[in-house]
Amino acid sequence: MPSSIFLLAAGSLRPAFTPLISQFTRMSGIDVNVEYGPAGLLRERIEAGEPCALFASANREHPQNLLARNIAVSKHTFCWNKLSLVSNRTGVWLDLLRDPTLRPGTSTPGCDPSGDYTWAFFDNMDVLEPGLGQQLRTRAIPLVGGRDTVKIPQGELASAWILRQGLADLFIGYAHYAHALRAMPDVHYVAIPDEHNIRCEYQLAVLDASNEVMALVDFILSRGGQEFLSAAGFLTLNDE
């Protein structure tokens, strides 16, 4: 009986999946080898033929594409996220976005769903205030999540580290880091109201529907698994 699963997972899932997978292994005896990275680049590795039993993506498009190409055999929504701002100064979220002197850092569209969600958020800003989204797209600096973007030191939160290095004055990223960011005295976490925010859907793509893999999928979807996601700041199936 196989006792090991190879999992590719979006980097944003690391705070939740590290304890979740440890608990799963303690309960099941099944070892899980996991690599984290930008979900778009992980999908490219899978499409290029890299062996992978399970893919945890920060969006639904990548799992759906793998399913349509018969690379994946099933997909499962397992949590949601939102976007937020982190800045090196205080201010109202919309005022920070409007300020032409602030350099907004983002993740990389195409390579990382966080970047794709941010560009969709810019579309929302154009609806709210015509021209604002286009200004933000022009000013935005994709700093992480790409092939040749900045390497964040291990143990650092990307948004806070980027601000401290002076690479940007504002960062648009995932909201599940709120608790950690609010504890940092030198950066300011700023929530984006739900009516203007983006709903970020996370999906699993099952590539090998073995009993071991499906046991892990079931655990992620279970109340016990969802508690790890909730503790890490994600919106869970129970929040729906």
Side-chain angles (χ1 to χ4, degrees), residues 160-174:
W161 186 85
I162 282 167
L163 295 180
R164 291 180 188 128
Q165 299 303 308
L167 300 175
D169 308 298
L170 178 72
F171 192 86
I172 305 169
Y174 288 130

Side-chain angles (χ1 to χ4, degrees), residues 1 4 11 19 32 42 68 72 79-80 91 116 154 169 187 199-200 217 226 231:
M1 172 177 163
S4 182
V32 181
L42 296 180
C79 69
W80 287 265
D116 300 324
Q154 188 170 359
D169 308 298
V187 298
R199 185 175 174 77
C200 311
V217 171
Q226 292 285 298

